[in-house]
Amino acid sequence: MKKTISTIFGLAALSLATLTTSCSSDDNKTEGPKSDFVVVRENLQGEIKSGEVILESGTYKLTGKLIVNSTAKLTIKPGVTILATAVAKDKLEEVRYIAVAQGGQIDVQGTAATPVIMTSELQEPGAWGGLVLCGKARINKGTTAQAEVSNLTYGGTEDNDNSGSIKYLRIEYPGFSYSSSKEFNGLSFFGVGKGTTIDYVQVYESSDDGFEWFGGTVDAKHLVVSNKAAQLGDDLFDWTEGWIGNGENWYGIRTNAGNRGIEADNNSDNHKATPVSFPNLKNITLIGTTASTNGEAQAIKLRVGTKGKLDNVVLKGWATGFDVQHDESISFAGTDLLATNVKFEDVAVKSKATATTAGGSVDISKLFTESATATGAGNGSGIPTWTAGWTKGL
């Protein structure tokens, strides 16, 4: 009897162990709902319509646009490289880019030692489109609008919307141009919500803006933009259409005769449109040159009704530190438009402003306070230590 009972318990234990092992194995293999999208390393393009697609390792060639639709998810593991293949400048319909539509998500899982890299076969600014995120947070262009570089809908009323998580990502050579008024940025945020995580991202040699916010509420930390190529780039950072998120630890450098460090707008058609752009930024370093082919060698341009608060800022090498334009923005100076603890290095004109109605310059000195001990992004005008290992060309 004892032997029979022992045998029964032994078989039961074996069955339980087998079941447990099977479940554990299945859990490791399945990280999300399966998708009908077929991943082809040499031909990555198309629409992910549902489920989760995982890029596991190595290099994938981006041969067209890749769209992550509503309810779908694109997960990119550490060390993955996405290589945009070359496309003729007159083949506008074939431009390579990655876009996440409203309701879709991206999960970039890079690390400092093994960042995810999105780059191009043609290693020059403007070679491909870059990365576009479209969310459901508020904008001031209307309840919703169409993104200029993907025609995807963005905007809405969900300020905590979640478009995913991006950590340790390097985007190289983006900024493909359809026309002088329609260009990709490195990373574009269209109505992206605060539920989204953006941390440790570099845009390297973009022909248009490095990062641009079109409304939304998303926060962004540890951002790097570097433009040193002979081809001119646009602004390092740019916001418009009512962005009201937070930024922390931004480092931007340009050595060519491109445009501004930050270009900040509310709404060019209606300066009082709500929600009014009102980001809060801290720990910012912007390094530039006094040369600009467009006369825009300004560290920070604030205009068309934007608000904003900045703290612990280092500006080096620009012709102008702060340039404020339009009555609405000027009226906020010293209150809702304020920069505290600013250190200027080799900046010829610390601040200036031009009124809309009266014309000419006005006193804008109340816009900022100075501090000789400001550290900016962490190392004054030097390269921040947190950029080590995952960035390029600093």
Side-chain angles (χ1 to χ4, degrees):
M1 185 66 175
K2 289 182 179 178
K3 182 177 181 181
T4 302
I5 292 174
S6 298
T7 302
I8 291 171
F9 276 108
L11 290 172
L14 179 61
S15 298
L16 180 60
T18 302
L19 178 61
T20 303
T21 302
S22 176
C23 290
S24 176
S25 177
D26 288 345
D27 287 345
N28 288 335
K29 289 181 180 179
T30 305
E31 299 193 22
K34 292 183 178 179
S35 175
D36 292 334
F37 185 87
V38 177
V39 175
V40 180
R41 282 186 180 272
E42 298 297 313
N43 186 25
L44 182 64
Q45 64 169 313
E47 296 188 35
I48 303 173
K49 297 181 179 180
S50 63
E52 181 181 16
V53 169
I54 303 174
L55 305 185
E56 291 283 0
S57 62
T59 299
Y60 298 79
K61 288 188 176 181
L62 185 68
T63 55
K65 62 184 179 182
L66 179 64
I67 310 296
V68 184
N69 285 319
S70 180
T71 76
K73 182 177 182 180
L74 174 64
T75 296
I76 308 175
K77 294 292 188 177
V80 165
T81 295
I82 297 176
L83 183 69
T85 57
V87 59
K89 293 294 185 182
D90 60 344
K91 300 290 185 181
L92 301 183
E93 72 283 358
E94 296 180 8
V95 60
R96 286 77 162 111
Y97 64 91
I98 299 172
V100 179
Q102 287 185 322
Q105 289 195 340
I106 188 169
D107 184 10
V108 175
Q109 301 178 353
T111 70
T114 54
V116 170
I117 300 171
M118 298 179 180
T119 188
S120 172
E121 284 184 340
L122 183 62
Q123 296 190 354
E124 63 179 41
W128 71 295
L131 178 59
V132 176
L133 304 184
C134 294
K136 301 178 183 179
R138 287 178 296 160
I139 61 175
N140 66 24
K141 195 176 180 179
T143 303
T144 61
Q146 303 300 121
E148 65 180 19
V149 291
S150 65
N151 292 322
L152 294 172
T153 299
Y154 70 100
T157 59
E158 300 179 29
D159 282 351
N160 290 321
D161 186 40
N162 184 354
S163 295
S165 174
I166 298 176
K167 293 184 176 181
Y168 289 104
L169 170 65
R170 189 165 76 236
I171 302 171
E172 302 175 354
Y173 311 111
F176 186 95
S177 175
Y178 289 105
S179 66
S180 59
S181 61
K182 186 177 179 181
E183 298 173 300
F184 283 92
N185 304 296
L187 177 48
S188 302
F189 304 98
F190 288 93
V192 177
K194 196 169 287 291
T196 309
T197 297
I198 306 295
D199 204 4
Y200 296 100
V201 184
Q202 179 186 16
V203 176
Y204 175 80
E205 302 296 14
S206 176
S207 64
D208 201 53
D209 303 323
F211 298 89
E212 183 163 6
W213 289 260
F214 297 83
T217 55
V218 65
D219 301 332
K221 299 187 298 183
H222 299 102
L223 304 186
V224 178
V225 185
S226 52
N227 279 359
K228 298 182 178 181
Q231 296 95 326
L232 301 181
D234 202 352
D235 312 302
L236 302 178
F237 303 91
D238 194 329
W239 70 72
T240 186
E241 295 183 18
W243 178 46
I244 52 175
N246 301 309
E248 183 176 349
N249 292 317
W250 292 5
Y251 177 81
I253 181 170
R254 77 159 346 105
T255 59
N256 58 29
N259 292 342
R260 300 153 176 149
I262 292 176
E263 181 178 276
D265 297 344
N266 182 44
N267 184 305
S268 57
D269 296 322
N270 176 7
H271 297 183
K272 296 181 180 181
T274 58
V276 175
S277 295
F278 197 170
N280 281 271
L281 312 180
K282 64 180 180 179
N283 308 336
I284 310 297
T285 294
L286 301 173
I287 300 172
T289 69
T290 57
S292 173
T293 57
N294 297 318
E296 296 178 351
Q298 305 138 342
I300 302 176
K301 177 77 173 186
L302 304 156
R303 64 185 186 183
V304 298
T306 191
K307 299 178 180 181
K309 290 189 175 180
L310 300 85
D311 181 58
N312 189 26
V313 180
V314 173
L315 307 177
K316 180 179 180 180
W318 301 92
T320 304
F322 295 92
D323 188 345
V324 186
Q325 186 180 358
H326 303 114
D327 294 347
E328 295 83 0
S329 289
I330 291 172
S331 71
F332 299 136
T335 55
D336 285 343
L337 191 63
L338 179 65
T340 52
N341 300 307
V342 180
K343 182 178 182 180
F344 298 93
E345 298 181 20
D346 303 321
V347 176
V349 177
K350 292 180 179 179
S351 66
K352 67 178 184 179
T354 305
T356 309
T357 53
S361 62
V362 296
D363 181 14
I364 200 69
S365 58
K366 60 184 177 180
L367 174 70
F368 64 91
T369 65
E370 295 187 60
S371 171
T373 60
T375 57
N379 192 27
S381 56
I383 300 172
T385 57
W386 53 261
T387 64
W390 62 278
T391 60
K392 179 178 180 178
L394 297 184

